[in-house]
Amino acid sequence: MKKKHIFLILFSLYCFFGWSQKGTPTEAEIEKKVTELLSKMTLEEKVGQMTNIAVTIFETKGQPGVFDMAKLNEAVQKYHIGSLQNIPNSGAPTQKKWNEIMTSINNETNKTRLKIPILYGIDAIHGANYTAEGTLFPQEIGLAATFNTAITKKGAQISAYETRASSIPWVFSPDLDLPRNPSWSRIWESFGEDSYLTTQMGLAMVEGFEGNDAGSKYQVGTCLKHFIGYGSTTTGKDRTPSIIPERVLRQYDLPIYEAAIKAGAKSIMISSGEINGTPVHASKQLLTDILKNELGFKGVVITDWKDIIYLHTRHKVAETNRDAVRIAVLAGVDVSMVPEDYSFYTDLLDLVKKGEVPMSRIDDAVTRVLRMKMQLNLFNSNISDPKDYPKFASQEFIDEAYKAASESITLLKNSNAVLPLNKSEKILVTGPTANSMKYLNGGWSYNWQGELSDSFASGKMTILEALQNKAGKEKVLYTLGADLAIEDDAEIQKAVELAKDASKIILCLGEKNYTETPGDIGNLYISSSQIKLALALSKLNKPIILVLNEGRPRLISDFEDKMNAVVQCYLPGNEGGRALADILYGDVNPSGRLPYNYPRYSNSLEKYNRKYTESLGDEEQNNDAKYEKSYNPQFEFGTGLSYTTFTYTNLKIDKAEINNTDSITVTVDVKNTGSKAGKEAVLLYLTDLYASITPEVKSLKRFEKISLAPNESKTVTFVLNPKDLQFVNNDLKWISEKGTFRIQISDLKQEFLLK
């Protein structure tokens, strides 16, 4: 009798957990198991699943990275927490250390009644950047500059592989914010200013991270961020208000998330900001009516750091923290990144018991959490075996990161072909970003602000080291030249004196490593200490190559005209120094293009897809007056030079007239008419000449990256569909209107009529 009883228990456990041994369960199996498990859970266990805590609260006081197991026990056994995030205060753990951390957590959850595994998430935004020795790629703004979705997808696949190797199944990526102010501190976490480019890159990243099976031991679940309108602050400061008409939100921002949701993204993080006076975390219209109901999102909706608490302390829409919990959960939040106490748990428990939050809302949220855990196959062993990940930090992966950096770096100016350099000439390398890995990686690198990059990436090459490795130390002079912030005339004079012995100057400027609010600035111009260095060197009348390492376009108009070449590196990652050196010396032909307009002045921040009234010139009505042109960026979106030349011919469209259900096929011939092999991003823009909502001057609709040998030609084909001709009208409907449309590729144009 006793043996039979044991057999029945084991059989029951197999029926519940055994399916996972066969791989990720089917959708039908998941829904059935979620329903069964939900029916067995207490209210306390359910509310625990909605609670996300930072792993740092388990650390022993004064001992970063050392867990107090009693604190972990309390979190799991008393508060039933469902998810964890962040890294120890000691910085990025090794792959082995991550597995030890995850094993400790797993052992604790296995002591619980239902043995529901913890869901662990990490900010793996440009590679496994929170695992020591992980492969670091360019930040998203650099990936956007490649205009190559294959590179972006491959990078996400490698990031997924190395993150799962650390036993972590969930990444807070991709960032799909559409920034409208270039001073915003998270520009570099985005794919730039264009909605279509962001959509395509976001899709590539979701596909790379999740693959066909996010529960695979080589894939991870994604968390899109930050829904929605986060990058549109009127002040340009992080976590400050936005004013965005719903028509604009629906035309430019919402389609980005809609596409990623259709691609299978498992979770979404909510914007820390507010739109038109309503914090997004408090908006039932955005989170439930639009995101969950209209877009049909079935995944997990999670807050950002402390953002329910901030409804009370910052936004002032909730009189108490308890009221903030009620507002956010009823708006549609499923999981609260509390993340340093259990206030959300205790307040939500009380709210449900007193009938202020219905059990149906709790069950919906917990269903989403359990579904995601099963989709990620966490009920199977969620601890990775290192033997399954032989490619971790491999040369193969490093080569892919190098390739991504090489295609991201953008040549914006090259007067009199000052580039490429000759290895026989002596150069001076100077500037505050020339000799530190911090300025190649930026934030979210080994820790939050990225200040540990020089120690964690000590085996990688800075710009200076890469140039010395390339040409020999005897050909590469160096001095700091300037601090990022502090003006030092003596340092500038050192650079001026040393430059007299060099034939060319590599001037490395930029900004500090940062992310979020610590990156807020009050002045978009590059720092005065750097401007002073640039102007001093320019008086020598020697060729200067300006190399920019920056997360956003810091204004350089005070001295750009005195630079012979300008190279935008963005934040290219650990292989960025090598990639830049190869580009400067001509071993790699640059092919990046700007994913945003680079402004010339701080009060002239028009986007490339501006309205006609933003670019008045010869049509200005007061043509007898002197005035500055309305639209005059330093460099326009899509700018990117090469060491070869590409000629565009034979732009053709297959129909001169279409109706609103027709597609249109566009072809163009591209020829490499120079002497070097090169890659070219072919960009197709569309213009609606007249519309009831004022049309844009032009809007990117398609792009393709191609490679051409000298004298080689390719025909590039694009297909536009009816949705490409549509816009959102004042009734919030997507419509197209009859009239003439213009297609532009390079300087070629063709028009067609929509009947």
Side-chain angles (χ1 to χ4, degrees), residues 626-652:
K626 293 182 179 180
Y627 57 91
E628 291 186 5
K629 288 187 176 181
S630 304
Y631 179 73
N632 186 25
Q634 195 81 56
F635 304 104
E636 192 176 33
F637 175 95
T639 298
L641 305 177
S642 172
Y643 296 148
T644 191
T645 53
F646 298 97
T647 301
Y648 288 75
T649 57
N650 299 323
L651 176 62
K652 298 177 181 177

Side-chain angles (χ1 to χ4, degrees), residues 208-229:
F209 276 132
E210 298 198 355
N212 296 322
D213 177 11
S216 160
K217 62 184 176 182
Y218 300 125
Q219 310 294 152
V220 293
T222 55
C223 185
L224 313 177
K225 59 185 190 183
H226 305 83
F227 187 88
I228 191 170

Side-chain angles (χ1 to χ4, degrees), residues 325-346:
V325 172
R326 178 186 60 81
I327 290 170
V329 171
L330 291 179
V333 166
D334 301 316
V335 174
S336 172
M337 195 182 285
V338 191
E340 297 173 314
D341 59 42
Y342 301 102
S343 58
F344 174 82
Y345 175 92
T346 55

Side-chain angles (χ1 to χ4, degrees), residues 437-722:
M437 295 304 298
K438 292 187 297 185
Y439 310 125
L440 293 174
N441 280 316
W444 302 117
S445 302
Y446 306 110
N447 68 344
W448 178 36
Q449 292 297 305
E451 67 265 22
L452 302 180
S453 284
D454 282 321
S455 56
F456 274 89
S458 58
K460 300 296 182 178
M461 284 190 279
T462 66
I463 293 171
L464 171 65
E465 291 166 342
L467 290 169
Q468 289 175 333
N469 183 68
K470 193 80 178 170
K473 287 188 177 181
E474 70 281 359
K475 295 292 185 183
V476 181
L477 306 175
Y478 170 72
T479 187
L480 180 64
D483 182 83
L484 282 170
I486 302 169
E487 292 189 29
D488 188 334
D489 290 341
E491 278 295 333
I492 291 175
Q493 192 56 37
K494 284 182 187 178
V496 169
E497 290 301 317
L498 203 54
K500 293 175 181 178
D501 294 328
S503 60
K504 291 177 182 175
I505 301 166
I506 310 298
L507 177 59
C508 301
L509 306 183
E511 52 180 2
K512 69 175 184 177
N513 46 290
Y514 62 86
T515 189
E516 299 187 61
T517 306
D520 283 352
I521 54 175
N523 184 357
L524 191 55
Y525 279 89
I526 205 162
S527 64
S528 59
S529 59
Q530 297 183 89
I531 294 174
K532 197 169 184 179
L533 173 63
L535 291 174
L537 291 170
S538 70
K539 293 176 182 177
L540 296 173
N541 293 318
K542 294 200 174 193
I544 301 177
I545 293 91
L546 173 62
V547 172
L548 296 168
N549 281 271
E550 53 186 10
R552 58 197 152 195
R554 302 301 293 266
L555 304 188
I556 56 175
S557 51
D558 284 344
F559 61 91
E560 183 274 335
D561 62 329
K562 298 173 178 62
M563 302 293 103
N564 299 82
V566 179
V567 182
Q568 174 62 288
C569 291
Y570 314 98
L571 299 170
N574 275 345
E575 308 309 319
R578 286 200 302 132
L580 175 65
D582 285 346
I583 285 172
L584 293 182
Y585 279 102
D587 293 331
V588 169
N589 199 346
S591 64
R593 286 180 178 264
L594 270 184
Y596 51 69
N597 261 10
Y598 203 119
R600 188 180 299 271
Y601 304 115
S602 58
N603 62 336
S604 186
L605 306 177
E606 299 87 2
K607 303 305 176 192
Y608 90 91
N609 57 338
R610 63 208 181 276
K611 299 300 183 76
Y612 285 93
T613 50
E614 295 178 278
S615 56
L616 292 174
D618 295 335
E619 306 92 19
E620 174 64 51
Q621 60 182 356
N622 299 317
N623 56 15
D624 58 341
K626 293 182 179 180
Y627 57 91
E628 291 186 5
K629 288 187 176 181
S630 304
Y631 179 73
N632 186 25
Q634 195 81 56
F635 304 104
E636 192 176 33
F637 175 95
T639 298
L641 305 177
S642 172
Y643 296 148
T644 191
T645 53
F646 298 97
T647 301
Y648 288 75
T649 57
N650 299 323
L651 176 62
K652 298 177 181 177
I653 54 178
D654 69 335
K655 303 179 186 75
E657 294 185 359
I658 62 171
N659 59 44
N660 58 14
T661 60
D662 287 337
S663 294
I664 187 167
T665 300
V666 183
T667 58
V668 67
D669 294 337
V670 186
K671 183 177 182 178
N672 183 343
T673 51
S675 59
K676 283 179 172 283
K679 296 177 181 177
E680 172 78 340
V682 182
L683 312 184
L684 183 154
Y685 296 100
L686 184 70
T687 300
D688 187 353
L689 297 190
Y690 297 93
S692 58
I693 297 291
T694 56
E696 302 162 0
V697 171
K698 62 179 181 179
S699 182
L700 184 71
K701 293 298 181 182
R702 295 290 185 273
F703 61 87
E704 183 178 339
K705 193 81 170 273
I706 61 173
S707 299
L708 292 173
N711 210 39
E712 182 183 7
S713 296
K714 285 185 179 177
T715 299
V716 179
T717 302
F718 298 110
V719 177
L720 297 177
N721 58 52

Side-chain angles (χ1 to χ4, degrees), residues 127 135 137 143 148-162 201 203-209 218-219 391 394 396-401 403-404:
T135 306
F137 285 79
L143 293 177
N148 188 336
T149 54
I151 279 182
T152 300
K153 181 176 179 179
K154 184 66 175 180
Q157 288 172 333
I158 291 170
S159 301
Y161 180 103
E162 293 193 343
M201 289 295 180
L203 279 172
M205 222 167 200
V206 171
E207 292 168 357
F209 276 132
Y218 300 125
Q219 310 294 152
K391 293 184 179 182
S394 64
E396 176 187 337
F397 287 180
I398 291 169
D399 290 345
E400 290 294 335
K403 179 181 176 183

Side-chain angles (χ1 to χ4, degrees), residues 103-123:
T103 297
S104 297
I105 295 167
N106 200 50
N107 289 342
E108 198 62 50
T109 59
N110 282 337
K111 299 174 187 175
T112 62
R113 184 175 72 93
L114 295 174
K115 297 180 174 56
I116 301 174
I118 292 283
L119 175 61
Y120 204 110
I122 208 76
D123 288 285

Side-chain angles (χ1 to χ4, degrees), residues 78-351:
K78 180 178 178 180
Y79 293 104
H80 316 285
I81 60 166
S83 57
L84 289 168
Q85 44 86 14
N86 216 340
I87 61 169
N89 283 316
S90 53
T94 62
Q95 182 189 357
K96 179 181 178 183
K97 181 62 176 178
W98 268 124
N99 287 336
E100 291 173 1
I101 292 170
M102 300 305 293
T103 297
S104 297
I105 295 167
N106 200 50
N107 289 342
E108 198 62 50
T109 59
N110 282 337
K111 299 174 187 175
T112 62
R113 184 175 72 93
L114 295 174
K115 297 180 174 56
I116 301 174
I118 292 283
L119 175 61
Y120 204 110
I122 208 76
D123 288 285
I125 68 166
H126 69 123
N129 48 267
Y130 273 176
T131 300
E133 299 182 0
T135 306
L136 268 59
F137 285 79
Q139 298 282 6
E140 275 193 18
I141 196 67
L143 293 177
T146 69
F147 280 81
N148 188 336
T149 54
I151 279 182
T152 300
K153 181 176 179 179
K154 184 66 175 180
Q157 288 172 333
I158 291 170
S159 301
Y161 180 103
E162 293 193 343
T163 304
R164 274 281 193 174
S166 308
S167 296
I168 299 172
W170 187 28
V171 295
F172 302 143
S173 182
D175 187 313
L176 301 182
D177 294 317
L178 189 66
R180 291 181 170 89
N181 192 316
S183 65
W184 188 48
S185 62
R186 308 191 76 164
I187 287 277
W188 56 266
E189 294 182 59
S190 78
F191 290 117
E193 71 177 45
D194 183 70
S195 181
Y196 177 75
L197 177 60
T198 300
T199 299
Q200 298 308 306
M201 289 295 180
L203 279 172
M205 222 167 200
V206 171
E207 292 168 357
F209 276 132
E210 298 198 355
N212 296 322
D213 177 11
S216 160
K217 62 184 176 182
Y218 300 125
Q219 310 294 152
V220 293
T222 55
C223 185
L224 313 177
K225 59 185 190 183
H226 305 83
F227 187 88
I228 191 170
Y230 186 32
S232 301
T233 69
T234 54
T235 66
K237 304 291 179 66
D238 189 43
R239 289 176 163 85
T240 57
S242 299
I243 300 173
I244 314 174
E246 186 174 348
R247 191 198 72 76
V248 174
L249 200 71
R250 285 182 172 275
Q251 179 160 336
Y252 300 101
D253 301 70
L254 205 60
I256 300 170
Y257 290 91
E258 183 176 12
I261 288 168
K262 288 180 179 177
K266 299 296 181 287
S267 60
I268 286 183
M269 188 181 294
I270 302 308
S271 162
S272 298
E274 61 182 67
I275 300 176
N276 306 333
T278 301
V280 183
H281 282 81
S283 175
K284 183 176 182 292
Q285 180 199 17
L286 290 172
L287 303 189
T288 297
D289 298 345
I290 293 178
L291 177 59
K292 291 184 174 181
N293 295 338
E294 184 179 323
L295 299 187
F297 181 60
K298 302 298 183 185
V300 173
V301 173
I302 183 171
T303 75
D304 206 337
W305 186 273
K306 285 188 180 181
D307 273 337
I308 289 181
I309 294 171
Y310 291 152
L311 292 180
H312 166 55
T313 62
R314 288 183 178 178
H315 294 288
K316 307 293 185 181
V317 296
E319 292 187 5
T320 64
N321 189 70
R322 183 181 183 276
D323 198 33
V325 172
R326 178 186 60 81
I327 290 170
V329 171
L330 291 179
V333 166
D334 301 316
V335 174
S336 172
M337 195 182 285
V338 191
E340 297 173 314
D341 59 42
Y342 301 102
S343 58
F344 174 82
Y345 175 92
T346 55
D347 285 337
L348 183 55
L349 201 61
D350 185 61
L351 285 162

